[in-house]
Each structure stands twice: as structure tokens, then as C-alpha cells.
Amino acid sequence: MAKQDYYELLGVAKGASADEIKKAYRKMAMQYHPDRNQGDKEAEHKFKEISEAYEVLKDEQKRAAYDRFGHGAFEGGRGGPGGFGGGGAGGGFGGFDFGGGGFADIFDEMFGEFMGGRRGGGGAASGRGQDLRYNMEIGLEEAFKGTQANVRVPTSVQCDGCNGSGAAAGTQPITCPTCQGHGKIRAQQGFFTIERTCPGCHGQGRVIKDACKTCGGAGRLRKEKTLQVNIPAGVEDGTRIRLAGEGEAGLRGAPPGDLYIFLAIAPHPIFQRDGANIHCRVPIPMTTAALGGTVEVPTIEGSRTKVTVPPGTQSGHQFRIKGKGMSVLRSQQRGDMYIQAVVETPVNLTKKQQELLREFDKAGKEGSHPQSEGFFAKVKELWEDLKD
Ligand SMILES: [Zn+2]
Ligand SMILES: [Zn+2]
């Protein structure tokens, strides 16, 4: 079967800029990434194809050779150390190894950029472990106090059998005979001299003769590990906590990835958080609102506080309680708590209560319901106007 044109594969024009190619590749790589298409052979194949196309088109020299000679540019030396074709243990073009480092690195590269591009260096063959994301939900009380959480993450850990080297007990990885330990080889291809990652060792400079029996030479094992994470007081919903080096172990002693904890704060049944402040709607009996009194309200630290309700308190009135809000991250300060009064109309009245209220009404004098009186005065005016 004829190979598809690399430009067509990525859906870009022949004259596309490096940036356009990168964007197109990234979009497709996200779509066909094996992590998102578990067990889908077609997606895996497509992912390999677009990765191969990108490997060539992102490199100015390789792209020039491809533009000139097409796929033929990369066919002659397949399998040999001088060719373009890879042929190393990982197979595939440019050393993509789906069980190992190359694959994780693509993901890392993207993930790293989502994280604000914090990662510098680290070539495609470094074998650095994958970054991991862990979603955690905590309660508002925990966010207030700060907490310690145990996190169980399925990950890769360094193999104890070989201390991560991948070499069988009593042996050491040896200098790669293909590249003499440089990790890169120079190849003459037509008119070009091209330096590329050594296919013999995937750029690591060393290879393993006797693989460790425990990990099969990878230097790491899949395992679940438990980590204790400190959640500081005052954290916000959506906070990201980075635990450097707690991601997946690297391949054969390469540095591990990082673990990111993404925090979400569960909605609280009573309190609403607004930054450092806390809002709380408190029902107040009609009689208390009219006569004045006190109500007890809960606080985020688990105690109670008394609020004085002055006579004639209206529904919607806000009381501010200074210093009873949320804790502020890395500070001794606290926000305030705002209590919103919701005056409750009594229901299921007894005969006696009804009588008393009727009597209360009859005994009324003008001026005790200024809002209603003002409102109905306006309505009356409106009706008078309509008569004219
Ligand atoms: Zn090598
Ligand atoms: Zn091992």
C-alpha cells in the first residue's frame, strides 16, 4: 500500500509554516492519542502515522529532504545505524516506543505546555516519567482549616530489583556500541549530514545486556502508591498542587514526572464562599424580626455566634460579622461572614395564634408598615390618574 503524503496526513498545505504544522499535529495527536482511544487499533495506527509525519515535517532538514525525494528519502538505510528508518527496539520512525519513553514524552510535552510551559529541555528520548493528574474534592471546612489527605495513585515506581537501572542484579548497563555513549549519531544522507537520536539506545547512551527479571529492563514497575498531601488552609476551588518528582518513575533511572493535585471544593449546605468571605442566609422568625432579639448562627470553624437582630429587621438585611469568614492562604487573616436575614412568615397557625394576629392587626396604627403604605399610596395615585 502506498504511503500517504505527510502533508495530507496532517491536513496542511505543502507550504505550511512550522507553526501551522505543529498546531495541526497537536490537534490530531490529542484526538488519536492512545490514552483516549484505549484498544482502538485504528486510532493507534493513525497516531503512529501522524507522529511519523510530524517527526519529519518539524525538522527543517528532514522536511527539505522529504519535499525533494518524497518517502524515498527515508527508505534506503532502514534498520542500519546510518538510516532514517529507526529499526531500534522501539520500532517505528524516530524511536516512538509505545510502551515507554517516547510516548510519554509527547504527552508530557503537551501537558507541560498546558501547565504554563514550566518544563525546559528534556529531549524526546530522555525517558522522563509521565506527569500525573489527581482530582480531589474536599469540604469547605477542610479548605478553611487545611488538611492532610492520603492520595492513592496508580503509577510506575522505580524497580527495587535493579534500583531503576533495568539491568539484572550484579550487572550494569553498558555503553551503547552504536553511538559510543553519545546518544546521538551522525548520518550521511545524500547531501546532508544529519544528527539524530541513536536508535540503539534511544538517546540514553547506554544499553542493557541482561535485563532485570523483575521489570523486564524498564527499570520501573506499575504499582499503586500512597502519598500524604498537605492541603493548606484557605485554598480555593480549582487550586493545583504540584508534587515534584511524584509522578511516574522515569525509564531506566531517568527523572520521574510530577504529580498534580487538582482541588475542587464541594458545595456547602449552609455557607457560600466568596473569596475570603462567607455568606449565609439565616431564617428569622417574624416575631424576632419585628420585636428584635438574637439568633444563633453556625460558623465555619464549627462553633456558633450570636447575632443581635434589631427591632424592625427586614428580609434581605445583611449583618456583617468581622473576622468570621474563610482563612486566607499563607496568612493569619480571616475574611468576614455576612448573614442575610430571611424573615419567615409563620405557617400552620393554631386558632389562638390566628385570633391573636387578628387582634394585633386591629390594634395597629398607621406607620407600622411603611413599605406597604408607601406602595399602596403609589398604586392609588396611579388609579386616580387613570380616571382622568
Ligand atoms: Zn546509542
Ligand atoms: Zn528492574
Side-chain angles (χ1 to χ4, degrees):
M1 199 176 75
K3 258 183 133 164
Q4 203 182 339
D5 180 79
Y6 286 154
Y7 293 99
E8 272 173 27
L9 258 169
L10 294 177
V12 293
K14 269 221 185 317
S17 70
D19 217 42
E20 285 169 332
I21 290 171
K22 189 174 174 183
K23 268 200 195 125
Y25 165 68
R26 183 161 299 184
K27 208 171 138 211
M28 294 184 80
M30 295 295 277
Q31 187 184 344
Y32 294 106
H33 198 287
D35 261 6
R36 293 194 166 182
N37 302 277
Q38 300 254 334
D40 182 344
K41 287 274 167 230
E42 223 168 281
E44 187 183 319
H45 179 70
K46 184 87 176 173
F47 185 73
K48 277 186 186 169
E49 276 189 332
I50 57 171
S51 299
E52 178 184 319
Y54 182 60
E55 271 296 295
V56 171
L57 298 185
K58 78 171 181 189
D59 182 309
E60 239 177 82
Q61 284 182 326
K62 289 185 196 171
R63 185 177 173 185
Y66 178 73
D67 285 346
R68 210 161 154 198
F69 306 110
H71 290 296
F74 311 111
E75 272 155 14
R78 206 168 180 92
F84 264 110
F93 194 88
F96 277 106
D97 176 353
F98 280 81
F103 167 62
D105 281 319
I106 300 172
F107 189 73
D108 262 358
E109 187 187 300
M110 294 181 171
F111 199 58
E113 280 185 35
F114 290 151
M115 299 318 228
R118 86 198 140 69
R119 298 221 2 241
S126 71
R128 182 186 179 273
Q130 206 166 325
D131 287 335
L132 297 173
R133 171 180 176 150
Y134 186 93
N135 296 328
M136 186 192 287
E137 192 179 70
I138 59 170
L140 191 63
E141 284 92 349
E142 290 171 304
F144 168 75
K145 274 188 259 189
T147 184
Q148 275 206 334
N150 285 325
V151 175
R152 288 167 70 82
V153 278
T155 184
S156 295
V157 295
Q158 185 172 304
C159 170
D160 284 337
C162 59
N163 286 324
S165 75
T171 73
Q172 292 289 327
I174 58 161
T175 302
C176 173
T178 310
C179 63
Q180 276 81 46
H182 296 300
K184 286 202 159 81
I185 51 168
R186 281 166 171 275
Q188 190 74 33
Q189 183 78 30
F191 304 107
F192 311 105
T193 302
I194 288 143
E195 195 182 71
R196 65 186 194 94
T197 303
C198 170
C201 62
H202 294 272
Q204 296 199 321
R206 294 186 305 168
V207 289
I208 290 159
K209 279 203 103 163
D210 300 304
C212 166
K213 298 249 178 339
T214 314
C215 62
R220 56 185 180 184
L221 294 166
R222 292 215 72 85
K223 207 175 174 179
E224 200 166 69
K225 67 176 174 183
T226 305
L227 289 169
Q228 216 173 47
V229 185
N230 279 315
I231 314 284
V235 286
E236 300 264 354
D237 187 57
T239 298
R240 236 169 35 206
I241 298 173
R242 177 178 162 223
L243 301 179
E246 297 291 1
E248 277 201 333
L251 191 63
R252 282 176 222 120
D258 300 331
L259 173 68
Y260 288 88
I261 310 243
F262 281 62
L263 270 185
I265 298 176
H268 194 277
I270 295 173
F271 300 125
Q272 285 88 47
R273 179 189 197 174
D274 175 19
N277 297 329
I278 288 176
H279 293 262
C280 180
R281 284 159 60 88
V282 178
I284 295 177
M286 180 187 74
T287 44
T288 310
L291 300 171
T294 56
V295 288
E296 257 194 345
V297 294
T299 58
I300 185 69
E301 67 258 45
S303 64
R304 302 161 181 214
T305 187
K306 277 201 167 94
V307 179
T308 305
V309 180
T313 293
Q314 302 295 334
S315 214
H317 183 82
Q318 270 199 348
F319 301 93
R320 173 166 168 242
I321 310 174
K322 223 173 165 301
K324 288 286 179 190
M326 281 299 281
S327 42
V328 177
L329 198 64
R330 284 183 277 281
S331 149
Q332 293 301 311
Q333 287 183 324
R334 276 182 71 177
D336 302 328
M337 174 147 127
Y338 288 91
I339 304 290
Q340 192 181 26
V342 181
V343 177
E344 188 176 23
T345 308
V347 295
N348 303 325
L349 299 179
T350 63
K351 272 247 154 61
K352 176 82 179 158
Q353 284 177 311
Q354 293 179 30
E355 267 165 40
L356 284 170
L357 279 179
R358 279 195 196 99
E359 218 166 297
F360 165 85
D361 207 28
K362 264 188 244 161
K365 65 171 172 68
E366 258 185 52
S368 59
H369 289 93
Q371 284 188 37
S372 311
E373 284 158 23
F375 178 77
F376 287 109
K378 274 184 206 143
V379 171
K380 211 171 149 206
E381 271 170 40
L382 197 74
W383 284 340
E384 308 255 284
D385 285 350
L386 287 175
K387 261 192 245 167
D388 295 336

Short mmCIF file of all heavy atoms in Angstrom, two decimals, residues 158-168 211-221, ligand 2:
data_model
loop_
_atom_site.label_atom_id
_atom_site.label_comp_id
_atom_site.label_asym_id
_atom_site.label_seq_id
_atom_site.Cartn_x
_atom_site.Cartn_y
_atom_site.Cartn_z
N GLN A 158 10.03 3.11 40.75
CA GLN A 158 11.34 2.57 40.43
C GLN A 158 11.41 1.11 40.88
O GLN A 158 10.96 0.76 41.95
CB GLN A 158 12.40 3.39 41.15
CG GLN A 158 13.80 2.98 40.79
CD GLN A 158 14.83 3.95 41.36
OE1 GLN A 158 14.79 5.14 41.11
NE2 GLN A 158 15.72 3.43 42.14
N CYS A 159 12.00 0.26 40.02
CA CYS A 159 12.12 -1.17 40.34
C CYS A 159 13.19 -1.37 41.41
O CYS A 159 14.31 -0.88 41.28
CB CYS A 159 12.47 -1.93 39.06
SG CYS A 159 12.93 -3.63 39.35
N ASP A 160 12.82 -2.11 42.47
CA ASP A 160 13.78 -2.37 43.54
C ASP A 160 14.85 -3.38 43.11
O ASP A 160 15.96 -3.37 43.61
CB ASP A 160 13.06 -2.94 44.78
CG ASP A 160 12.32 -1.83 45.52
OD1 ASP A 160 12.72 -0.65 45.35
OD2 ASP A 160 11.36 -2.15 46.25
N GLY A 161 14.45 -4.26 42.20
CA GLY A 161 15.36 -5.34 41.78
C GLY A 161 16.63 -4.81 41.14
O GLY A 161 17.69 -5.44 41.22
N CYS A 162 16.55 -3.65 40.51
CA CYS A 162 17.70 -3.13 39.78
C CYS A 162 17.95 -1.66 40.11
O CYS A 162 18.73 -1.00 39.44
CB CYS A 162 17.46 -3.28 38.27
SG CYS A 162 15.99 -2.42 37.70
N ASN A 163 17.28 -1.18 41.14
CA ASN A 163 17.36 0.24 41.51
C ASN A 163 17.09 1.17 40.33
O ASN A 163 17.68 2.24 40.22
CB ASN A 163 18.72 0.57 42.12
CG ASN A 163 18.84 0.02 43.52
OD1 ASN A 163 17.86 0.00 44.27
ND2 ASN A 163 20.01 -0.49 43.86
N GLY A 164 16.25 0.71 39.44
CA GLY A 164 15.84 1.58 38.34
C GLY A 164 16.73 1.53 37.11
O GLY A 164 16.43 2.14 36.10
N SER A 165 17.83 0.79 37.20
CA SER A 165 18.74 0.78 36.04
C SER A 165 18.22 -0.09 34.91
O SER A 165 18.55 0.11 33.75
CB SER A 165 20.13 0.29 36.47
OG SER A 165 20.10 -1.12 36.67
N GLY A 166 17.40 -1.09 35.24
CA GLY A 166 16.89 -2.00 34.23
C GLY A 166 17.82 -3.19 33.98
O GLY A 166 17.45 -4.14 33.30
N ALA A 167 19.02 -3.14 34.54
CA ALA A 167 19.99 -4.22 34.33
C ALA A 167 19.84 -5.28 35.42
O ALA A 167 19.55 -4.96 36.57
CB ALA A 167 21.41 -3.66 34.35
N ALA A 168 20.04 -6.55 35.05
CA ALA A 168 19.90 -7.64 36.00
C ALA A 168 20.87 -7.45 37.17
O ALA A 168 21.92 -6.81 37.03
CB ALA A 168 20.18 -8.97 35.30
N ALA A 211 18.69 -8.01 30.98
CA ALA A 211 17.59 -7.22 31.55
C ALA A 211 17.22 -7.75 32.93
O ALA A 211 17.27 -8.96 33.18
CB ALA A 211 16.39 -7.25 30.62
N CYS A 212 16.85 -6.85 33.79
CA CYS A 212 16.37 -7.20 35.13
C CYS A 212 15.12 -8.06 34.99
O CYS A 212 14.22 -7.74 34.22
CB CYS A 212 16.06 -5.92 35.90
SG CYS A 212 15.09 -6.15 37.38
N LYS A 213 15.07 -9.17 35.75
CA LYS A 213 13.93 -10.10 35.61
C LYS A 213 12.64 -9.49 36.16
O LYS A 213 11.55 -9.79 35.70
CB LYS A 213 14.23 -11.41 36.36
CG LYS A 213 15.44 -12.16 35.81
CD LYS A 213 15.01 -13.44 35.14
CE LYS A 213 16.17 -14.22 34.52
NZ LYS A 213 17.39 -13.51 34.23
N THR A 214 12.79 -8.66 37.16
CA THR A 214 11.59 -8.11 37.82
C THR A 214 10.84 -7.14 36.92
O THR A 214 9.63 -7.15 36.84
CB THR A 214 12.00 -7.38 39.11
OG1 THR A 214 12.91 -8.21 39.83
CG2 THR A 214 10.78 -7.09 39.98
N CYS A 215 11.58 -6.28 36.23
CA CYS A 215 10.91 -5.22 35.46
C CYS A 215 11.08 -5.37 33.96
O CYS A 215 10.62 -4.53 33.20
CB CYS A 215 11.44 -3.86 35.90
SG CYS A 215 13.19 -3.65 35.58
N GLY A 216 11.78 -6.44 33.55
CA GLY A 216 11.98 -6.65 32.11
C GLY A 216 12.86 -5.60 31.47
O GLY A 216 12.84 -5.42 30.25
N GLY A 217 13.63 -4.88 32.27
CA GLY A 217 14.58 -3.92 31.72
C GLY A 217 14.10 -2.49 31.70
O GLY A 217 14.84 -1.58 31.37
N ALA A 218 12.84 -2.28 32.06
CA ALA A 218 12.31 -0.91 32.02
C ALA A 218 12.80 -0.08 33.21
O ALA A 218 12.82 1.14 33.16
CB ALA A 218 10.79 -0.93 32.00
N GLY A 219 13.18 -0.74 34.29
CA GLY A 219 13.65 -0.02 35.47
C GLY A 219 12.51 0.51 36.33
O GLY A 219 12.73 1.18 37.32
N ARG A 220 11.29 0.21 35.92
CA ARG A 220 10.14 0.66 36.72
C ARG A 220 9.03 -0.37 36.65
O ARG A 220 8.96 -1.17 35.72
CB ARG A 220 9.64 2.02 36.22
CG ARG A 220 9.28 2.03 34.75
CD ARG A 220 8.92 3.43 34.28
NE ARG A 220 8.58 3.41 32.86
CZ ARG A 220 8.30 4.49 32.15
NH1 ARG A 220 8.35 5.67 32.71
NH2 ARG A 220 7.99 4.40 30.88
N LEU A 221 8.16 -0.31 37.62
CA LEU A 221 7.06 -1.26 37.72
C LEU A 221 5.76 -0.51 37.97
O LEU A 221 5.76 0.55 38.59
CB LEU A 221 7.29 -2.18 38.93
CG LEU A 221 8.49 -3.12 38.87
CD1 LEU A 221 8.76 -3.70 40.24
CD2 LEU A 221 8.24 -4.23 37.86
ZN ZN B 2 14.31 -3.97 37.49
#
